[in-house]
Amino acid sequence: MTTRGSRSEKVKRIFQQFDGNRDGGLSREEMSALVVAVNPRVKFSDEQISAILDEVFRTYAEFIDVDKGLTFDGLLRTYDDGAGDVDRDFDALGLEFNADETKVGSEASSSSITDERAVEAQKQQRTAAWAVSPHHGIVFDETWKIVDDLEILVKRLKSKQEKDGKLKSDNNNVDACSDAGWSRELGPGPSSDLSDKRIYWEESSHDYTVFVKELGVLRSKSDGARSREEAFDGHMAIGRVLYEHQLFKEALVSFKRACELQPTDVRPHFKAGNCLYVLGKFKESKDEFLLALEAAESGGNQWAYLLPQIYVNLGISLEGEGMVLSACEYYREAAILCPTHYRALKLLGSALFGVGEYRAAVKALEEAIYLKPDYADAHCDLASSLHAMGEDERAIEVFQRAIDLKPGHVDALYNLGGLYMDLGRFQRASEMYTRVLAVWPNHWRAQLNKAVSLLGAGETEEAKRSLKEALKMTNRVELHDAISHLKQLQKKKVKNNGNSVNEEGPFILVEPSKFKTVGEKTTLRPDLATALQIRAFQKVTRLWKCDVEALRREMRDNNVPVSYSGNGGPTKSIRKPNLEEILRRLLNVLKPETFQGAIKAINEKILSMLDDSGSGRVDLGMFYAVIAPLCGGHPDKRKRVAFDALLWRPVNEGSSQITKMEAAKYIKLLRAIYIPSQGMSEMLEVHGETDTSTVTFNQFLGMYDDSEWGFGIMSTVVKLETRDRNRHGSQVCSVCRYPIIGSRFKEVKSGFSLCNQCYSEGKIPPTFKQQEEYKFREYGSEVEAMKAKCVCFSMQSHKKPIAT
């Protein structure tokens, strides 16, 4: 890892390389040569070079010598702010760094300095590099004394807790890391320079209580300083020292006090935001970063250099809340302000991937990799985006590159395993999951997926052992179902080996015309297939957790300004990030990672249709009407709120009826979104599109419930909602061998049973392939099945002849 000393020396060598006239400054021409030289793979236009130089000379105006250009301190600051990678640029220029020469040189120069400079050097040695920074460092001598005392207190606390075995640490193996689908920044804070190793202090110990008491004395010294500025300097320094030692709660107290002393200073808000983020308080973290942003924007050029990092940290905090669309906005701002900010581009690409905008994600991630070719996280997320776009072979290469750069990259290994699973290469998938477990032994999802891949590879016994290991890590119900499934497969295998039957595959597909239903309550196979897709979307988005009355309250309580669309009509349109805020209120019970998944599904399926022009805005009334059928509440209420949402739109506001054309357009949109087999063709064939007549709510219901032209499939979706947790005792599907959950479809002649999924796909066991047709009766529960059985026995007993 590059130390501050070696980092400064490398920047110095770079500076000297391009300071051709040795005047101690880099002119625009010399800076232009530097930018081109350290980015050999990027072809800059003259306009781009000019724009970059304008931004540098504007942002770092205080480091600009009018006659000479950017000073060495200015160049060092650009690297400190993340505008470039010192090590990468140093290597790109082919320069060599000799630590021994640096040491000798520094010793020689120090021999001629005054005693005062020697004191300053000692200060640099006894604390971190930030303390001597011209903008973020210690200003007052009294503050140095406080810092020295605090370092002693922290060392004493650390020594005691280590001795008692109370100090704990880990390597930040967060459970959500691989599940999210893209790499996360695993450091302890959004802008932290700390190591990956997180330290946990025992706050309930006596030692810690004594430490806090002594810390209070130092804070009192700062409060008693001769001026407000000196008190601010003291609290900021205390906060920085505590932050570096990962005493985040105590650091937050100091930064908050600094905020009180100088509310318009960016730095304490920025640092408080970092502390809150580490402590998992994402909303409060976001609020602090917003205050930092407000202070920076009102402070002119003084804080301009901090804006990109504030935007980045704001985005990360929003992602912590699950607000990925909003995070994208801030990452874009950071990348615009600082085009070489590779981390902002990486985070933007990851967030775009997280909302399903894969092409845009690939573009951003490729730019990040151009700027930093050894960025393993960016390679991992690029590969995930390519896989989502179907470019699997290229995705494998990029995943492998990420693993080459960082052999223990859990996300890359885990996601590559998933890719191999999708391609049916189960043995390779198993190898990837084994490597994940070598790095992260208690990763239960990797253990479960390893079992599934082994099962796909035909290694049943190994799969069973892997499943049992996963069960030791977590007690989730799907693991019990998987083990039950394996047992059923084992029984079937033994039976087939004993009787020498069923040499074919586990199922055969039957054409839809051969599937018949018994009774009016049995769902048709095509209807069930469609309803299952809608129900799957409903589960991912958790819209069923949002009571439909909440939509009505949003329409009633929140005013949305009327705007005019491209065709000139009035509409209540809203930007996607603002819509995300509304959805967060409606789905406030969801955890952040669950909400992220919901936003991705909604963006891909609904917003992409409503924003077909790519403007980034959607008709809010139409959006409410589209999601109302999938929200919680009685079906009649859902239809009523959908109708009210159409009335809420400016074209109908104040009326109790909507036009027949608009009702038809809405229903066709519903079908295009939720019944993909219909595609957009129906949207182009809106019946009655020139009809200006209006329809009442009852007439709207007639159009809505029509099974052919309306959204009559909703009744089947509602049936799934009430039944999809029902279990049928020991009954298992005759095809997939999983326990039946939901409805059970029993073939009345042969007696075999199918689950929802296998029935909807037309699968039957190969044993019964000779039948001309298959008649199914649907049972919602085993109670229904028992009642039907009793009725059947009763009817048979009545048919028996009476003895004479």
Side-chain angles (χ1 to χ4, degrees):
M1 180 177 175
T2 304
T3 64
R4 174 72 184 184
S6 61
R7 176 186 175 85
S8 176
E9 184 63 25
K10 285 187 175 183
V11 176
K12 185 177 180 181
R13 294 287 299 280
I14 294 172
F15 184 87
Q16 292 171 345
Q17 178 85 358
F18 291 92
D19 183 16
N21 56 8
R22 296 293 184 267
D23 63 351
L26 298 180
S27 65
R28 288 183 69 92
E29 292 75 17
E30 290 168 338
M31 275 296 296
S32 173
L34 190 157
V35 171
V36 172
V38 299
N39 294 283
R41 298 175 64 183
V42 182
K43 294 187 181 297
F44 291 106
S45 65
D46 292 340
E47 291 79 9
Q48 287 175 316
I49 289 289
S50 180
I52 292 171
L53 295 182
D54 287 344
E55 180 65 24
V56 170
F57 277 70
R58 181 184 65 81
T59 303
Y60 301 96
E62 61 196 289
F63 295 100
I64 302 297
D65 185 306
V66 178
D67 298 322
K68 301 175 183 178
L70 184 69
T71 63
F72 165 73
D73 287 339
L75 184 63
L76 182 61
R77 171 51 58 81
T78 66
Y79 282 110
D80 286 344
D81 292 343
D85 186 318
V86 177
D87 296 326
R88 180 184 71 85
D89 291 356
F90 196 81
D91 292 340
L93 295 171
L95 301 175
E96 294 184 0
F97 178 68
N98 190 322
D100 293 333
E101 288 180 9
T102 305
K103 184 177 179 182
V104 170
S106 63
E107 288 174 354
S109 62
S110 67
S111 64
S112 61
I113 62 177
T114 65
D115 292 340
E116 185 180 346
R117 290 290 300 277
V119 171
E120 292 301 316
Q122 289 174 9
K123 290 179 180 178
Q124 292 187 37
Q125 291 171 9
R126 71 190 185 208
T127 191
W130 62 265
V132 291
S133 167
H135 286 276
H136 304 283
I138 294 171
V139 178
F140 295 88
D141 287 337
E142 288 301 315
T143 303
W144 281 104
K145 296 176 183 178
I146 292 173
V147 166
D148 284 342
D149 290 343
L150 180 55
E151 289 284 2
I152 292 169
L153 293 181
V154 173
K155 286 177 183 176
R156 186 190 302 163
L157 174 65
K158 187 174 183 180
S159 175
K160 288 181 178 179
Q161 292 214 347
E162 283 179 340
K163 183 179 178 181
D164 297 339
K166 295 175 182 176
L167 197 64
K168 298 176 182 177
S169 63
D170 63 28
N171 292 313
N172 291 301
N173 282 342
V174 185
D175 188 46
C177 179
S178 293
D179 303 341
W182 69 93
S183 301
R184 292 177 183 264
E185 301 296 333
L186 292 180
S191 66
S192 173
D193 295 325
L194 303 176
S195 67
D196 288 340
K197 198 170 185 179
R198 176 72 186 271
I199 297 171
Y200 296 93
W201 299 86
E202 180 52 66
E203 298 177 5
S204 61
S205 69
H206 174 70
D207 298 330
Y208 194 88
T209 304
V210 172
F211 167 76
V212 171
K213 187 176 180 180
E214 293 172 329
L215 176 60
V217 174
L218 295 181
R219 286 188 176 130
S220 297
K221 282 185 180 179
S222 291
D223 283 330
R226 289 167 293 182
S227 66
R228 197 177 189 87
E229 290 74 18
E230 187 173 338
F232 173 82
D233 189 49
H235 283 291
M236 281 297 293
I238 291 172
R240 292 295 294 266
V241 172
L242 294 169
Y243 187 89
E244 287 212 338
H245 289 287
Q246 303 194 34
L247 289 153
F248 300 115
K249 288 183 181 179
E250 302 307 326
L252 180 61
V253 173
S254 293
F255 292 134
K256 285 285 192 181
R257 177 61 181 138
C259 290
E260 293 171 4
L261 290 166
Q262 292 192 14
T264 59
D265 195 300
V266 174
R267 295 167 294 176
H269 293 297
F270 186 76
K271 288 298 177 184
N274 284 351
C275 287
L276 288 162
Y277 178 86
V278 179
L279 295 170
K281 298 180 179 181
F282 303 123
K283 185 180 184 306
E284 293 94 327
S285 173
K286 176 194 70 178
D287 293 341
E288 284 295 337
F289 287 132
L290 285 171
L291 289 171
L293 180 61
E294 183 182 342
E297 289 177 338
S298 61
N301 288 333
Q302 181 184 5
W303 305 114
Y305 69 93
L306 265 180
L307 279 172
Q309 191 59 46
I310 295 172
Y311 282 131
V312 165
N313 289 14
L314 253 174
I316 295 173
S317 293
L318 284 162
E319 280 202 71
E321 288 188 272
M323 308 283 283
V324 191
L325 286 171
S326 302
C328 287
E329 296 287 294
Y330 288 109
Y331 295 144
R332 283 194 186 95
E333 289 293 331
I336 290 168
L337 283 176
C338 185
T340 57
H341 200 313
Y342 56 83
R343 189 159 177 255
L345 289 164
K346 182 267 172 190
L347 289 165
L348 174 61
S350 301
L352 288 167
F353 170 76
V355 294
E357 298 184 11
Y358 304 121
R359 292 192 182 281
V362 166
K363 184 178 178 182
L365 291 164
E366 285 180 338
E367 287 185 34
I369 291 170
Y370 265 126
L371 294 170
K372 187 173 174 60
D374 61 346
Y375 204 165
D377 282 358
H379 281 88
C380 176
D381 297 347
L382 174 60
S384 295
S385 301
L386 291 169
H387 175 40
M389 292 169 59
E391 297 184 30
D392 292 336
E393 290 306 318
R394 188 181 165 203
I396 291 172
E397 292 177 10
V398 180
F399 269 134
Q400 196 57 58
R401 173 63 177 154
I403 295 166
D404 291 342
L405 289 168
K406 188 177 177 182
H409 200 299
V410 171
D411 285 337
L413 292 166
Y414 184 89
N415 293 343
L416 181 54
L419 172 51
Y420 281 136
M421 287 262 281
D422 291 344
L423 295 176
R425 295 162 67 175
F426 298 112
Q427 197 62 50
R428 290 289 289 146
S430 172
E431 292 170 11
M432 292 301 109
Y433 293 127
T434 300
R435 289 181 65 179
V436 171
L437 291 165
V439 179
W440 191 343
N442 63 342
H443 196 307
W444 71 266
R445 290 187 184 276
Q447 192 72 60
L448 175 60
N449 285 351
K450 179 182 176 181
V452 175
S453 58
L454 287 168
L455 186 61
E459 300 180 27
T460 309
E461 287 302 316
E462 284 295 320
K464 192 183 295 185
R465 277 194 286 273
S466 190
L467 263 180
K468 287 180 179 177
E469 286 298 318
L471 196 58
K472 292 177 185 177
M473 300 174 189
T474 182
N475 203 30
R476 297 174 71 97
V477 67
E478 55 258 49
L479 288 179
H480 292 279
D481 287 344
I483 289 173
S484 176
H485 177 227
L486 271 177
K487 288 178 180 177
Q488 290 293 333
L489 288 177
Q490 197 71 7
K491 288 179 184 177
K492 188 175 181 183
K493 183 177 178 181
V494 171
K495 182 178 177 182
N496 291 344
N497 288 342
N499 296 314
S500 299
V501 294
N502 193 15
E503 295 291 333
E504 305 176 59
F507 63 86
I508 61 170
L509 290 174
V510 174
E511 60 186 61
S513 61
K514 288 189 175 183
F515 267 40
K516 309 293 182 182
T517 59
V518 177
E520 295 180 357
K521 294 183 178 180
T522 302
T523 308
L524 295 172
R525 173 182 154 188
D527 288 350
L528 182 62
T530 301
L532 282 171
Q533 291 179 354
I534 297 172
R535 177 61 177 149
F537 175 75
Q538 190 184 30
K539 285 180 176 179
V540 170
T541 59
R542 307 301 203 277
L543 285 171
W544 54 276
K545 289 199 171 190
C546 168
D547 192 283
V548 74
E549 286 297 325
L551 292 186
R552 197 192 301 275
R553 286 194 296 273
E554 280 288 336
M555 290 186 283
R556 183 190 65 213
D557 299 340
N558 295 291
N559 292 323
V560 178
V562 175
S563 58
Y564 289 84
S565 58
N567 58 18
T571 180
K572 291 180 178 178
S573 69
I574 191 170
R575 293 173 62 251
K576 286 183 181 182
N578 300 120
L579 177 60
E580 184 180 48
E581 292 175 12
I582 294 174
L583 284 168
R584 196 69 184 107
R585 289 198 298 270
L586 295 171
L587 298 170
N588 57 16
V589 297
L590 300 188
K591 293 180 179 179
E593 58 270 21
T594 308
F595 182 72
Q596 282 188 11
I599 287 295
K600 178 179 181 179
I602 289 170
N603 189 49
E604 287 182 306
K605 198 172 187 72
I606 299 178
L607 301 187
S608 60
M609 293 283 281
L610 294 179
D611 180 30
D612 55 355
S613 66
S615 67
R617 303 183 71 89
V618 295
D619 182 332
L620 188 57
M622 187 61 79
F623 175 77
Y624 286 149
V626 165
I627 67 170
L630 302 192
C631 288
H634 193 278
D636 292 342
K637 273 190 178 181
R638 303 184 205 179
K639 296 172 190 176
R640 179 72 233 191
V641 171
F643 185 75
D644 289 347
L646 296 174
L647 286 175
W648 184 71
R649 301 172 76 216
V651 290
N652 301 310
E653 205 159 15
S655 174
S656 61
Q657 298 181 0
I658 61 175
T659 64
K660 190 171 184 180
M661 180 185 73
E662 190 172 4
K665 181 181 178 181
Y666 163 66
I667 289 170
K668 299 301 180 185
L669 181 62
L670 269 186
R671 291 175 64 85
I673 289 173
Y674 294 125
I675 311 177
S677 58
Q678 306 297 332
M680 283 298 291
S681 59
E682 289 191 0
M683 288 297 296
L684 304 176
E685 302 172 4
V686 177
H687 294 275
E689 60 182 357
T690 58
D691 193 344
T692 58
S693 61
T694 59
V695 295
T696 63
F697 175 60
N698 287 333
Q699 291 171 322
F700 170 79
L701 286 180
M703 298 172 68
Y704 187 99
D705 292 332
D706 187 288
S707 58
E708 290 189 19
W709 291 100
F711 199 61
I713 194 68
M714 181 176 168
S715 59
T716 307
V717 176
V718 171
K719 187 193 289 188
L720 289 175
E721 290 174 11
T722 59
R723 292 182 177 180
D724 63 3
R725 289 182 178 273
N726 292 356
R727 289 177 173 262
H728 295 256
S730 60
Q731 295 284 347
V732 297
C733 176
S734 299
V735 172
C736 68
R737 312 305 296 176
Y738 271 100
I740 294 178
I741 304 173
S743 291
R744 175 163 73 97
F745 293 86
K746 183 177 180 181
E747 209 286 317
V748 296
K749 180 179 178 182
S750 304
F752 65 85
S753 294
L754 299 179
C755 64
N756 277 333
Q757 198 64 43
C758 291
Y759 174 78
S760 70
E761 294 172 0
K763 295 176 180 178
I764 64 162
T767 311
F768 307 104
K769 67 178 182 179
Q770 301 300 331
Q771 289 182 212
E772 290 295 321
E773 62 180 18
Y774 303 87
K775 294 183 177 180
F776 290 93
R777 185 185 296 276
E778 180 179 0
Y779 298 112
S781 65
E782 279 309 288
V783 174
E784 282 185 28
M786 291 300 295
K787 285 181 180 178
K789 198 171 184 180
C790 291
V791 170
C792 182
F793 281 137
S794 177
M795 291 177 64
Q796 288 178 0
S797 63
H798 284 302
K799 289 180 182 179
K800 288 181 181 179
I802 300 174
T804 57

